[in-house]
Amino acid sequence: MDTSGFAEWAGHFEEERERRHAQGDPCWERGATLHPAVWSSVQRFQVGEDGDGANLITKADRAGDPDYARAVRLFVAEERNHARLLAHLLAAGGAPTLTGHWSDRAFVRLRRLMGLRMELLVLMVAEVVALRYYRALRDGSGDPLTSDVAGRILADEERHIPFHCERLHASLAQLPRPLRRPVMALWRLMLLAASLVVAADHGPALRRLGLGRRRFTADVMASSRAAVSAILTPRPAARPTTRPGTRSGTA
């Protein structure tokens, strides 16, 4: 599998880590005020961000590309930072964190069923749903601290999806061509099911954020088209380099 681009991805993640360090945390002391339905929603998303990522790291190590494994570790660190940011946001509003939630347990169990490809497909469902959720939280909360935290997480999620798409593109290229589109069609059905569950479970919060259940689901499904295209679209083959002392087209 050609994974030569993951050294560059690891570099991007490292640059972002340094940028976060230089930026520092939001000002937690200013506190946060949200509707109880939104607090409840943030609590459940915080649980989802709070995994240790050990299973994904193990599968990335087994894939045999050290650059990809390094990039995955940096990705997992960013996800842990999201959980930390959300925990501090909850504390700033006087809301506790949860010890667990059924939706997170279901996602974790599904992700662990098979190999790296299945793990990433399920993870991509959560990432695409989160992309729309954090945009709504950033733009609709009306609370400066919440908007700051959600904006930081959203910026990370916007990088995570292309990262996973690149690996899935290489992974699906190993499948027979007639199977690739059906796999992604099934993935979109899984995404639809997940977005409907989130819309139902977080409906009161979404309404407070100015986003109805139907609009949330429609926006999630619309945003998935770009991910499917990135995974399935053939990439141009690398052009052969000319050895020193030879001319193209000559023996």
Side-chain angles (χ1 to χ4, degrees):
M1 184 183 296
D2 180 11
T3 55
S4 58
F6 289 108
E8 187 174 353
W9 271 110
H12 289 325
F13 278 115
E14 287 169 345
E15 288 171 4
E16 191 62 23
R17 180 183 60 192
E18 295 305 314
R19 188 199 64 79
R20 283 197 305 273
H21 180 73
Q23 180 186 28
D25 266 8
C27 180
W28 305 116
E29 291 76 13
R30 61 182 166 180
T33 303
L34 297 171
H35 187 273
V38 180
W39 280 128
S40 178
S41 177
V42 171
Q43 285 174 317
R44 280 170 274 170
F45 263 82
Q46 194 275 336
V47 171
E49 300 277 10
D50 200 23
D52 63 6
N55 198 56
L56 177 60
I57 289 171
T58 298
K59 291 175 182 177
D61 286 342
R62 290 173 181 166
D65 177 31
D67 290 325
Y68 178 67
R70 182 162 60 102
V72 164
R73 282 175 166 78
L74 292 162
F75 157 75
V76 168
E78 286 194 356
E79 292 291 303
R80 290 171 180 165
N81 186 55
H82 296 174
R84 184 188 68 85
L85 290 172
L86 292 175
H88 279 295
L89 175 63
L90 289 167
T97 57
L98 302 180
T99 57
H101 191 260
W102 69 267
S103 59
D104 178 60
R105 289 191 292 269
F107 263 105
V108 169
R109 287 172 183 170
L110 186 58
R111 282 170 52 185
R112 291 177 177 176
L113 283 177
M114 297 185 185
L116 179 60
R117 182 186 297 144
M118 184 63 181
E119 174 106 6
L120 292 179
L121 286 169
V122 177
L123 180 58
M124 275 282 288
V125 167
E127 296 279 75
V128 173
V129 168
L131 200 65
R132 186 62 186 97
Y133 176 80
Y134 287 120
R135 181 151 58 93
L137 190 63
R138 180 195 65 184
D139 298 341
S141 69
D143 177 78
L145 181 59
T146 302
S147 295
D148 185 1
V149 170
R152 294 177 188 223
I153 296 174
L154 179 63
D156 288 343
E157 299 291 3
E158 287 172 341
R159 288 183 296 101
H160 292 173
I161 289 176
F163 169 61
H164 296 313
C165 283
E166 185 163 339
R167 179 70 195 197
L168 283 168
H169 173 83
S171 180
L172 264 66
Q174 294 182 311
L175 297 177
R177 188 177 296 273
L179 290 181
R180 298 172 195 172
R181 288 193 179 276
V183 166
M184 293 312 299
L186 289 172
W187 176 78
R188 290 196 83 222
L189 284 175
M190 185 165 55
L191 176 64
L192 175 60
S195 63
L196 288 171
V197 169
V198 172
D201 197 30
H202 296 259
L206 294 173
R207 284 195 298 272
R208 287 284 171 177
L209 297 173
L211 190 65
R213 288 185 172 99
R214 289 185 180 180
R215 178 63 183 275
F216 174 80
T217 302
D219 286 354
V220 168
M221 296 310 296
S223 69
S224 72
R225 297 190 193 107
V228 171
S229 177
I231 293 168
L232 291 178
T233 300
R235 310 287 170 85
R239 298 180 62 183
T241 57
T242 304
R243 296 192 306 272
T246 66
R247 291 179 298 173
S248 178
T250 63

